[in-house]
Amino acid sequence: MTRKTIKLDYLARVEGEGAFKVVVRDGTVKSAELRIFEPPRFFEAFLRGRSCLEVPDITARICGICPIAYQMGSVHAIEKILGIKVGGPLRELRRLIYCGEWIESHVLHIYMLHAPDFLGYDSAIHMAKDHGDIVKKGLELKKIGNEIMTILGGREIHPINVRVGGFYRVPARRELAPLADKLKWARDAAIDTVRLVSTFDFPDNQRDYEFVALRHPDEYPLNEGRLVSNKGMDIPIEDYDDTIEEVHVEHSTALHSHIRARGAYFTGPLARYSLNFDRLTPTAQQVAREAGLGETCNNPFKSIVVRAVEVVYACEEALRIVQAYEPPDRPFIDGPMRAGSGCHATEAPRGICYHRYTIDDSGSVTFARIAAPTSQNQPTIEKDLTSFVGDWLDLPDKELQHRCEQAIRNYDPCISCSAHFLRLDVDRGQG
Amino acid sequence: MPAQKPRLAVWKFASCDGCQLTLLDCEDHLLAVAGAVDVAYFPEATRGEISGRYDVSLVEGSITTTHDAARIQDVRARSNILVTIGACATAGGIQALRNFANVKEYISIVYARPDYISTLATSTPIAAHVKVDYELRGCPIDKRQLIELISALLAGRKPVTPAHSVCLQCKLKGNVCVMVAHGKPCLGPVTHAGCGALCPSYDRGCYGCFGPKETPNTVSLSRQMAHLGMDEKNIKRVFSTFNVNAEEFRAERQRHDS
């Protein structure tokens, strides 16, 4: 039996630290492990004993790239316990700030982390030397996502204005108004982005995934919806724990998720798009079709195109909200403390983000559980590698290594979130 | 031949990635910064890597594993100037709440197989392990302070990052005091400036994410918060967040430990 090991010490352009190992024997992939050794920070433990009103400030710190996702999951779950229903302009403002995060996070991934793979550069900084206009446009687009976060949230990273029941302070019409022209530019820049990334050269790798995403009667999902899949799942969030289990494996400080009946599943832009194409705006649908995407997409390498389509959607949705905005009477809805349990899931840029809390009658947290999208996708990432690496074994070692990195980067893995360093280790079993 | 550009490295320890993301969030300045330095090590942004020594290392995150305790020694040995960025690197972060609890219990709450987890009982700031040349406060750090720091280091001058309180920033901004006028508890009087008095500008009290200012009078502030009706448990909570392990906040927390 031939034996050979290919090693890469640090997978770059992902958020967090991990490692990877593929074992190949006689031309067949025997196993693939995504090792995550991001040091655990124990959020679910130290949330116990905190006031439920402090939770969104604390959970934001799980992730610097998608703090709104953690704030939205926790405020919605806690509001369910307290019997608070947030509607009208407050609900719209929450969609708006989430659109800001989608734009900022997706554009970061498209231009800074993912595009350099397709254009053959180590980073966007290196890419800027030859493609200055592309990188500048990306930065300008990302900045508009961050501006939404800053106006509504106070700052782009760990916003301070999200509160159980709404916001601490809501903007006046004139504060949001300047965003309208910027968002019109951003929508056009996002359309250009779809056109640009759709010309990249994609490996022809796809699998029959179980896509899992939220689905809402009228909207492309952000904060609300039932949990559905293309393999028959259609449940309220309250049934999440009965349907999906978390497993602790030795090679990861992020817990793996499995659908109890069927195993690994796929959450994030590809799943959201494939299950909710009909909820996109007509422009986003048209741009997707022109880019050669069907109503579903099973090639994870094309996730960069799907992310760009979602940026078009987020810009249009944000523009709609800004133009229709009338400030609410009060910045937040209040309610008396009461004991209970509640759960909620929202669509973070990287997929389903699930939260469950129990609080006592003084409003102190007695139990907290949070499932991050990347930890849910870990088994699927491993299966992608197991399935795809076989097709790539003719590639020279360096290219094979890079291709594996890309297969992981397709998921925009946020390892800091899920529990960081990806080390790639391909054991071909030769020499 | 042009002089060699300074080499910049960005390192991560236990953290949320938010402080290093702040550099990528400087959309208007990023390409200028990238033009003025050689980005020699920044894995979140680039696959490229230049090994050897670094002129400036920005360090994010706290030390929570034996592996990281050894790694920071190596980073220090290879860096001319070492700057900690953010509350995790500067004070230990929110994950330093374990320092006041039993970490074994924490592990068993989160993980089904505690035997798979290897972690230290404490989360400690970088300065507890190696000499630190400059520190930037905040959870997260402030963009303007980061650009000021990088510009100053490139120019060979000392960065201007005032150590006064958020209170002063509020006055400069013309905010009405949320504590005096509205009775909302606020850590502004004892918290290091840098954020631009964000929370009071959004009608809420400061929650201290930049950590203690120089010589803070936390005892007097706690008395005022009690006067506003806050009980001991809640006073302890407000000092027990992102800078809980900073000396002055830790001491005040302990005063309310019933």
Side-chain angles (χ1 to χ4, degrees):
Chain A
M1 197 162 71
T2 47
R3 177 178 195 86
K4 191 173 180 184
T5 302
I6 304 163
K7 247 173 132 176
L8 181 73
D9 285 336
Y10 207 117
L11 181 66
R13 301 206 317 269
V14 299
E15 296 103 1
E17 293 181 307
F20 197 83
K21 191 174 181 183
V22 188
V23 177
V24 183
R25 288 287 177 275
D26 299 327
T28 310
V29 181
K30 293 286 177 204
S31 68
E33 262 183 16
L34 177 63
R35 289 183 52 217
I36 290 185
F37 46 93
E38 175 85 16
R41 290 184 291 149
F42 306 112
F43 277 84
E44 288 139 313
F46 60 66
L47 278 164
R48 293 185 180 190
R50 306 302 303 208
S51 157
C52 64
L53 298 179
E54 292 179 288
V55 171
D57 292 331
I58 294 175
T59 54
R61 270 65 182 188
I62 292 173
C63 179
I65 296 102
C66 54
I68 289 293
Y70 290 92
Q71 296 191 318
M72 287 299 139
S74 47
V75 293
H76 282 88
I78 291 164
E79 285 159 10
K80 283 180 184 168
I81 303 172
L82 301 180
I84 293 171
K85 181 90 185 121
V86 173
L90 288 174
R91 181 180 185 280
E92 292 283 271
L93 287 175
R94 286 185 163 174
R95 274 184 80 79
L96 178 60
I97 197 166
Y98 222 153
C99 285
E101 179 160 286
W102 275 29
I103 297 169
E104 162 269 319
S105 174
H106 275 2
V107 175
L108 173 77
H109 192 258
I110 293 167
Y111 283 91
M112 312 289 289
L113 310 183
H114 214 181
D117 278 337
F118 294 99
L119 295 174
Y121 295 90
D122 280 348
S123 74
I125 295 165
H126 295 91
M127 200 167 91
K129 294 188 175 104
D130 300 327
H131 300 283
D133 291 346
I134 293 179
V135 175
K136 279 180 198 150
K137 192 178 225 171
L139 287 169
E140 201 56 37
L141 185 52
K142 176 165 150 326
K143 189 173 153 186
I144 290 167
N146 276 336
E147 273 188 51
I148 297 176
M149 307 261 287
T150 304
I151 293 174
L152 258 180
R155 62 185 168 200
E156 54 276 78
I157 302 170
H158 307 331
I160 52 87
N161 193 26
V162 171
R163 188 190 191 286
V164 172
F167 295 85
Y168 286 91
R169 180 176 80 78
V170 290
R173 265 192 71 83
R174 63 176 159 71
E175 287 177 89
L176 292 188
L179 282 172
D181 282 346
K182 291 180 181 175
L183 282 164
K184 287 176 192 160
W185 178 89
R187 177 191 54 201
D188 294 346
I191 291 170
D192 292 346
T193 304
V194 176
R195 290 178 181 148
L196 170 75
V197 298
S198 68
T199 63
F200 291 168
D201 194 14
F202 300 103
D204 185 24
N205 290 105
Q206 36 190 316
R207 294 207 295 123
D208 179 25
Y209 298 105
E210 175 153 7
F211 287 134
V212 174
L214 292 183
R215 183 150 169 94
H216 182 273
D218 323 299
E219 301 166 332
Y220 200 73
L222 286 165
N223 276 319
E224 293 169 21
R226 286 172 69 85
L227 199 62
V228 304
S229 86
N230 55 339
K231 309 258 184 211
M233 184 196 296
D234 184 356
I235 57 167
I237 302 303
E238 283 66 27
D239 291 351
Y240 185 100
D241 290 317
D242 292 335
T243 312
I244 293 170
E245 64 179 340
E246 283 189 309
V247 180
H248 188 189
V249 298
E250 188 166 12
H251 60 274
S252 173
T253 52
L255 302 171
H256 281 208
S257 292
H258 296 276
I259 296 175
R260 288 184 196 273
R262 294 183 293 277
Y265 60 96
F266 190 127
T267 184
L270 232 60
R272 221 154 37 210
Y273 173 89
S274 298
L275 292 165
N276 291 286
F277 180 84
D278 56 343
R279 301 285 187 263
L280 287 167
T281 54
T283 316
Q285 288 181 355
Q286 190 192 335
V287 174
R289 286 202 173 97
E290 283 169 13
L293 288 176
E295 295 190 8
T296 61
C297 176
N298 282 59
N299 181 343
F301 288 87
K302 290 190 175 170
S303 64
I304 189 170
V305 189
V306 173
R307 265 184 209 98
V309 170
E310 287 199 329
V311 177
V312 175
Y313 174 80
C315 292
E316 289 205 292
E317 177 67 357
L319 181 60
R320 180 191 68 75
I321 295 168
V322 166
Q323 288 177 326
Y325 178 62
E326 291 293 339
D329 300 334
R330 289 177 302 166
F332 59 88
I333 318 273
D334 218 350
M337 289 300 160
R338 64 182 197 199
S341 290
C343 65
H344 194 78
T346 70
E347 285 285 356
R350 291 159 191 77
I352 298 291
C353 185
Y354 172 75
H355 294 239
R356 188 152 62 88
Y357 303 95
T358 303
I359 62 177
D360 65 19
D361 52 15
S362 74
S364 291
V365 175
T366 57
F367 173 89
R369 195 162 86 68
I370 299 163
T374 298
S375 70
Q376 297 175 59
N377 276 331
Q378 281 179 104
T380 296
I381 298 174
E382 292 182 345
K383 277 186 187 297
D384 272 9
L385 279 144
T386 310
S387 159
F388 298 160
V389 167
D391 293 348
W392 304 335
L393 290 174
D394 303 341
L395 295 172
D397 285 356
K398 216 173 159 187
E399 272 178 54
L400 172 59
Q401 230 177 45
H402 190 194
R403 191 62 71 80
C404 292
E405 266 186 81
Q406 290 181 55
I408 298 168
R409 216 173 278 126
N410 285 335
Y411 290 81
D412 187 5
C414 192
I415 299 170
S416 307
C417 263
S418 31
H420 195 91
F421 231 74
L422 283 194
R423 209 181 66 181
L424 179 70
D425 207 341
V426 181
D427 178 352
R428 291 188 190 237
Q430 303 162 353
Chain B
M1 205 177 117
Q4 198 190 339
K5 290 193 277 188
R7 284 184 173 179
L8 176 75
V10 183
W11 307 90
K12 177 193 154 82
F13 293 84
S15 68
C16 78
D17 281 49
C19 289
Q20 51 176 318
L21 178 68
T22 305
L23 186 55
L24 299 178
D25 274 351
C26 296
E27 290 97 357
D28 295 336
H29 303 286
L30 181 63
L31 293 179
V33 170
V37 300
D38 271 333
V39 179
Y41 186 79
F42 186 3
E44 182 162 306
T46 178
R47 301 175 78 220
E49 184 183 336
I50 308 171
S51 56
R53 289 193 65 81
Y54 306 104
D55 295 286
V56 177
S57 276
L58 303 178
V59 178
E60 170 191 279
S62 69
I63 304 297
T64 62
T65 64
T66 47
H67 173 257
D68 280 354
R71 191 158 63 97
I72 190 62
Q73 298 294 336
D74 177 55
V75 170
R76 175 69 268 189
R78 292 201 278 144
S79 310
N80 293 344
I81 296 173
L82 188 153
V83 186
T84 58
I85 54 170
C88 294
T90 303
I94 183 96
Q95 59 272 20
L97 283 167
R98 76 175 68 178
N99 302 6
F100 311 92
N102 179 342
V103 79
K104 284 198 175 124
E105 204 180 305
Y106 271 25
I107 296 173
S108 69
I109 288 172
V110 180
Y111 293 102
R113 291 290 303 266
D115 51 314
Y116 292 167
I117 300 296
S118 146
T119 188
L120 294 169
T122 55
S123 168
T124 43
I126 301 301
H129 300 264
V130 297
K131 177 176 169 285
V132 169
D133 300 295
Y134 295 98
E135 59 180 35
L136 279 186
R137 300 290 197 87
C139 181
I141 56 170
D142 179 78
K143 234 185 226 187
R144 291 153 294 193
Q145 290 205 335
L146 178 63
I147 293 297
E148 161 59 18
L149 174 102
I150 293 172
S151 314
L153 295 180
L154 285 173
R157 63 172 170 83
K158 205 176 156 210
V160 181
T161 53
H164 58 235
S165 68
V166 169
C167 246
L168 191 62
Q169 282 193 302
C170 238
K171 302 296 169 283
L172 287 167
K173 219 170 164 178
N175 286 340
V176 171
C177 180
V178 296
M179 191 152 64
V180 173
H182 304 299
K184 296 176 184 169
C186 179
L187 291 186
V190 298
T191 299
H192 196 287
C195 65
L198 272 183
C199 287
S201 307
Y202 280 78
D203 294 344
R204 70 179 292 194
C206 163
Y207 61 82
C209 60
F210 276 64
K213 76 174 198 72
E214 240 173 22
T215 62
N217 190 343
T218 54
V219 175
S220 168
L221 180 66
S222 291
R223 202 181 302 129
Q224 181 62 20
M225 290 194 293
H227 180 70
L228 290 170
M230 209 181 227
D231 62 19
E232 286 288 288
K233 183 175 162 188
N234 278 301
I235 294 176
K236 182 180 159 189
R237 274 179 183 156
V238 300
F239 287 102
S240 305
T241 64
F242 317 102
N243 292 279
V244 62
N245 196 52
E247 193 186 335
E248 298 88 342
F249 282 10
R250 190 177 60 222
E252 190 58 31
R253 175 188 192 278
Q254 274 157 0
R255 268 193 278 277
H256 304 275
D257 216 350
S258 45

